[in-house]
Every structure is written in structure tokens, then in C-alpha cells.
């Protein structure tokens, strides 16, 4: 095994990444990044030069942050679409990656056309000019997180020509709406920790390849049916928002749904049946009541983990026998109903539940029915 591949495997294990979702070229991009970050001294490099191509001169403007003293404006780069900007690092042994992170930049430097992976995170950027990425049409990863970018200071079609972009990181900014339009090639969209209050139904239109959507820690009160057309979506994180109802029309491909820390009090009957691959549902810290649930709300054979902790439930909701982990702590439950887990209790019919948490409720320890061990024979943790 080549040493670079072996080191990627070690680094991926340390960082909690799954190599299954990246190809070898992408692994080398992250490898170069972590090697560079781990060095005590600054990265010294010889700029990479490709064979010079004829190209018109490129003039670029550099806006400064509002209310701050502007930096001296650098000289515009002339007729050099292949040259690494002086503010950034472009490793000579990985010429398609450009590192401009953590440099107190207030503007986005020119991106050479050969770049596929560009990192602008941890800066002071407040705006993105129209045409900022028009030259870099090969971009696949674009990291803009931990800046001060506002929705009103972005060009209307700044991502319009990035037809190969797969991952866009814009979490921890000042966005008030979902950027639009977005490339149809997008696979991951990171918009957590912004100021977004609404996701219109057409905001994510055309993103048929999107597999992961991160919108946690915003102020979203409405998402409508914006998830419905996302035919490849596997993970949707809408936790820590102001939702009062669940999203309409979950996609059939969904496997993970995170809605904790909202204000949801009810779930429509058979709501989860639309997503037959759904494995993990987290709805803790909402306002769910038994009146807002039907007897079949959680009777989905695919769900393996269900978190309903810290709601207003007074009874244990009925769950499917395939469920493995159920978290109900911090509710107002006052009885242990075995029928919530097993409609029939005998040798052949039992629950696959392994973890059941009922602590922080009003149930007495002696309230456990005598047939509970037969129904919950797979359980290794039961907390009351």
C-alpha cells in the first residue's frame, strides 16, 4: 500500500471521516491540508506554474468589511489564470488545491482555473462579488464557513457556473436566506449557524444529487415542501430552529432526520411511511403530546433509533417491534404500558428493543408489568 494511502487511512480514523464517500484524489486534498496544519512553521512552497496560456487581463475588486479599517488593496493580477494568489498557499504536489484559510482576509482572492478544492474558511469576508468564481468552473469543494458573508452582499448568480461543485460550506456566516440558484451537482450543503428564517418550497429546486442538508442553529419557522423533490437526500438536519410543524413530504431516500430543539407539538398519521429507509429520528426538546400523535405515527419498520426525550408525553407511544433504541426521558409519562412495545406477548412475538430510557418521568419502579421481561427480552439497558 503506498505510504500516502496508508496515512490517509490513519488520518481518516482520527478525524472520524468515512473514506467510502471520497475518491483517492479528494483524500490527497485532505491529507495535504492536515499535513500543512500540523506543521509548527509556516508552509514554504515554490509556486506551481503550468504552461502559460493566452488570456485577457483580469481586474478584480476587493471590498472591505463595513465599519472596519480597509486593508491596502493588492495589485490586480495580470494575465495569469494559473498563478497562485500571494495571499494563499497552493502546494506544488497538489496543484488543484488552494488554501486561503485563517488569514484575516476581507475579500476573496482570484481563483485560478485549475482549482478543484478551495478553502476560504476562518476569515473576515463579508461579500462575494458577482463573477467571483466564473473562472474556476472545475471547483468541487468550496469552503466559506466561519466568515461574515451576508445574503444581501452576494452576487445573484455567484455559483451559477460551478457545474461540478459537490460540497459547499457556508455555515457560521450572516446569511438570511438559502443561496439560490445552486448547482445541480451539489451533494452536501452546509448552512448551519446562520440567520435563515424561511426555506421557500423552490429554494432547493433541482438539487437531485443532494445527499446531506445541514440547516441547524438558524431561525427557521417554515420549510414547507422544500425537501420533497430531493430524491437523493439521506440526511436532513433542521435542529435548533423555530419550526412548529414537521416538514411536508419527506423524500423516500431519507435515512436520518434531526428535528430536536424546535416547537413541534404534533406529527401527522403515518408521516414516516413516505421514507421507507428512515433509520434515525431525533425529536427531543419539542412540545410533542400524545394528543398530537396517532397510534401508528411511529409504527415504521425501518426506524432503529427514536429520540422523543424532553417533550410533553404522558404515555409511551406505540412503536414498531424492530425499533432498537428508544429515548423517552424527561417527559410526563406515568405508566409502563407493555402494549406500546408488543401487541401480543408470547415466545414468538417480542420487541427488538435494546435501550429504553424512561428516567425523569413519573413512573414508579414497581409499575413494570410482569410480562415485560418476555416482551423486552433483547433489552440490555432499561432506565426508569
Amino acid at each position: 500500500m503506498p505510504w500516502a494511502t496508508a496515512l490517509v487511512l490513519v488520518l481518516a480514523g482520527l478525524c472520524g471521516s468515512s473514506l467510502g464517500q471520497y475518491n483517492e484524489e479528494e483524500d490527497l486534498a485532505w491529507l495535504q491540508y492536515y499535513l500543512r496544519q500540523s506543521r509548527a512553521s509556516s508552509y514554504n512552497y515554490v509556486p506551481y506554474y503550468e504552461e502559460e496560456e493566452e488570456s485577457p487581463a483580469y481586474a478584480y475588486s476587493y471590498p472591505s468589511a463595513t465599519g472596519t479599517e480597509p486593508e491596502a488593496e493588492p495589485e490586480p493580477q495580470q494575465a495569469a489564470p494559473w498563478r497562485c494568489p500571494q495571499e494563499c498557499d497552493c502546494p506544488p504536489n497538489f496543484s488543484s488545491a488552494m488554501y486561503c484559510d485563517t488569514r484575516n482576509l476581507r475579500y476573496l482572492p482570484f481563483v485560478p482555473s485549475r482549482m478543484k478544492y478551495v478553502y476560504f474558511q476562518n476569515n473576515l469576508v463579508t461579500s462575494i462579488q458577482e463573477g467571483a468564481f466564473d473562472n474556476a468552473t472545475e471547483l468541487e469543494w468550496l469552503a466559506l464557513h466561519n466568515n461574515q458573508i451576508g445574503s444581501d452582499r452576494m452576487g445573484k448568480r455567484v455559483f451559477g457556473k460551478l457545474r461540478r461543485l459537490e460540497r459547499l460550506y457556508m455555515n457560521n456566516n450572516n446569511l438570511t436566506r438559502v443561496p439560490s440558484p445552486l448547482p445541480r451537482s451539489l451533494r452536501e450543503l452546509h448552512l448551519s449557524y446562520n440567520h435563515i428564517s424561511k426555506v421557500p418550497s423552490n429554494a432547493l429546486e433541482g438539487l437531485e444529487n443532494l445527499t446531506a442538508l445541514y440547516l441547524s442553529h438558524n431561525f427557521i419557522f417554515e420549510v414547507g415542501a422544500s425537501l420533497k423533490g430531493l430524491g437523493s437526500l439521506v440526511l436532513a438536519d433542521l435542529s435548533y430552529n423555530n419550526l412548529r410543524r414537521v416538514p411536508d413530504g419527506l423524500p423516500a431516500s431519507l435515512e436520518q432526520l434531526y428535528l430536536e430543539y424546535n416547537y413541534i407539538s404534533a406529527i401527522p398519521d403515518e408521516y414516516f411511511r413516505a421514507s421507507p429507509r428512515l433509520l434515525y429520528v431525533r425529536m427531543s426538546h419539542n412540545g410533542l403530546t400524545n394528543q398530537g400523535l396517532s397510534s401508528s405515527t411511529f409504527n415504521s419498520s425501518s426506524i432503529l433509533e427514536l429520540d422523543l426525550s424532553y417533550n410533553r408525553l404522558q404515555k409511551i407511544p406505540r412503536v414498531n417491534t424492530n425499533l432498537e433504541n428508544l429515548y423517552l426521558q424527561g417527559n410526563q409519562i406515568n405508566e409502563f404500558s407493555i402494549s406500546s412495545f408488543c401487541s401480543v406477548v408470547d415466545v414468538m412475538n417480542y420487541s427488538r428493543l435494546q435501550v429504553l430510557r424512561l428516567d425523569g418521568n413519573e413512573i414508579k419502579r414497581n409499575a413494570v408489568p410482569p410480562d415485560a421481561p418476555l416482551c423486552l427480552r433483547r433489552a440490555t439497558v432499561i432506565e426508569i
Side-chain angles (χ1 to χ4, degrees):
M1 176 185 297
W3 72 268
T5 305
L7 187 53
V8 168
L9 293 173
V10 173
L11 289 173
L14 292 175
C15 302
S17 301
S18 172
L19 287 178
Q21 59 182 321
Y22 305 123
N23 59 35
E24 185 175 352
E25 185 178 20
E26 292 171 342
D27 291 336
L28 289 174
W30 280 113
L31 169 62
Q32 181 63 47
Y33 178 73
Y34 284 112
L35 286 175
R36 186 178 65 84
Q37 290 290 86
S38 64
R39 296 178 182 174
S41 61
S42 61
Y43 185 82
N44 296 317
Y45 69 98
V46 178
Y48 176 87
Y49 296 99
E50 295 179 344
E51 185 178 352
E52 186 170 350
E53 300 174 357
E54 293 185 2
S55 175
Y58 185 89
Y60 206 80
S61 59
Y62 301 92
S64 59
T66 305
T68 61
E69 185 178 351
E71 293 180 338
E73 184 172 308
E75 291 295 326
Q77 300 190 30
Q78 301 293 324
W82 34 262
R83 181 177 298 165
C84 185
Q86 62 182 357
E87 305 91 343
C88 308
D89 288 343
C90 304
N93 58 341
F94 198 79
S95 60
S96 60
M98 185 171 88
Y99 300 96
C100 312
D101 54 299
T102 320
R103 296 159 196 252
N104 291 323
L105 296 179
R106 291 181 170 86
Y107 56 86
L108 295 181
F110 170 74
V111 182
S113 58
R114 70 176 187 270
M115 294 304 170
K116 293 183 179 181
Y117 314 100
V118 177
Y119 305 95
F120 290 120
Q121 71 269 24
N122 304 324
N123 280 296
L124 303 172
V125 178
T126 61
S127 63
I128 306 177
Q129 303 87 336
E130 192 72 64
F133 306 115
D134 284 4
N135 184 64
T137 56
E138 301 296 311
L139 274 181
E140 295 180 13
W141 292 12
L142 179 56
L144 292 161
H145 51 288
N146 296 330
N147 276 285
Q148 301 171 16
I149 302 169
S151 293
D152 294 333
R153 303 198 66 181
M154 289 177 57
K156 294 181 179 180
R157 298 188 62 85
V158 292
F159 307 119
K161 294 187 178 181
L162 303 182
R163 296 177 181 176
R164 297 188 180 184
L165 190 67
E166 294 184 358
R167 293 173 176 85
L168 176 60
Y169 299 85
M170 295 197 71
N171 36 301
N172 282 286
N173 275 285
N174 296 325
L175 299 177
T176 54
R177 56 181 178 268
V178 176
S180 181
L182 291 167
R184 292 177 178 266
S185 56
L186 210 59
R187 290 174 52 195
E188 291 185 14
L189 178 58
H190 298 255
L191 297 173
S192 298
Y193 292 95
N194 276 284
H195 306 288
I196 300 169
S197 60
K198 184 178 180 181
V199 184
S201 295
N202 62 346
L204 304 171
E205 188 175 4
L207 301 185
E208 299 173 356
N209 296 305
L210 194 69
T211 60
L213 174 64
Y214 298 91
L215 282 166
S216 68
H217 294 88
N218 277 280
F219 302 95
I220 300 172
F221 66 89
E222 182 181 347
V223 295
S226 57
L227 306 183
K228 189 174 183 179
L230 305 179
S232 301
L233 194 66
V234 173
L235 183 153
D237 187 354
L238 287 156
S239 58
Y240 293 88
N241 277 289
N242 295 328
L243 293 174
R244 297 189 176 275
R245 53 178 295 177
V246 291
D248 295 333
L250 296 181
S253 57
L254 198 65
E255 296 180 7
Q256 303 176 51
L257 177 63
Y258 303 138
L259 292 169
E260 61 263 39
Y261 287 92
N262 278 284
Y263 300 93
I264 300 169
S265 59
I267 303 175
D269 189 21
E270 298 187 351
Y271 174 71
F272 299 108
R273 293 287 181 90
S275 302
R277 301 178 185 177
L278 195 59
L279 300 173
Y280 307 102
V281 177
R282 296 178 183 173
M283 299 191 67
S284 66
H285 297 274
N286 275 278
L288 291 173
T289 65
N290 291 98
Q291 290 72 28
L293 306 175
S294 73
S295 60
S296 61
T297 299
F298 300 111
N299 190 19
S300 172
S301 60
S302 66
I303 298 178
L304 299 180
E305 180 177 295
L306 178 60
D307 188 353
L308 300 175
S309 58
Y310 300 99
N311 277 280
R312 299 177 184 175
L313 299 173
Q314 295 180 322
K315 296 180 179 180
I316 300 174
R318 188 170 182 176
V319 296
N320 193 275
T321 55
N322 287 332
L323 188 69
E324 295 181 358
N325 301 288
L326 178 59
Y327 302 97
L328 291 167
Q329 68 269 26
N331 277 279
Q332 303 167 11
I333 299 171
N334 53 28
E335 65 178 45
F336 194 115
S337 51
I338 201 67
S339 60
S340 297
F341 309 102
C342 300
S343 56
V344 177
V345 182
D346 56 32
V347 176
M348 300 299 295
N349 295 282
Y350 57 90
S351 171
R352 277 72 176 174
L353 204 66
Q354 298 176 19
V355 176
L356 173 61
R357 288 197 57 181
L358 287 164
D359 47 307
N361 281 281
E362 300 174 11
I363 300 177
K364 306 297 181 182
R365 287 185 175 272
N366 58 6
V368 179
D371 52 355
L374 187 58
C375 170
L376 302 175
R377 68 186 71 174
R378 290 280 189 89
T380 57
V381 175
I382 298 179
E383 294 189 18
I384 298 179

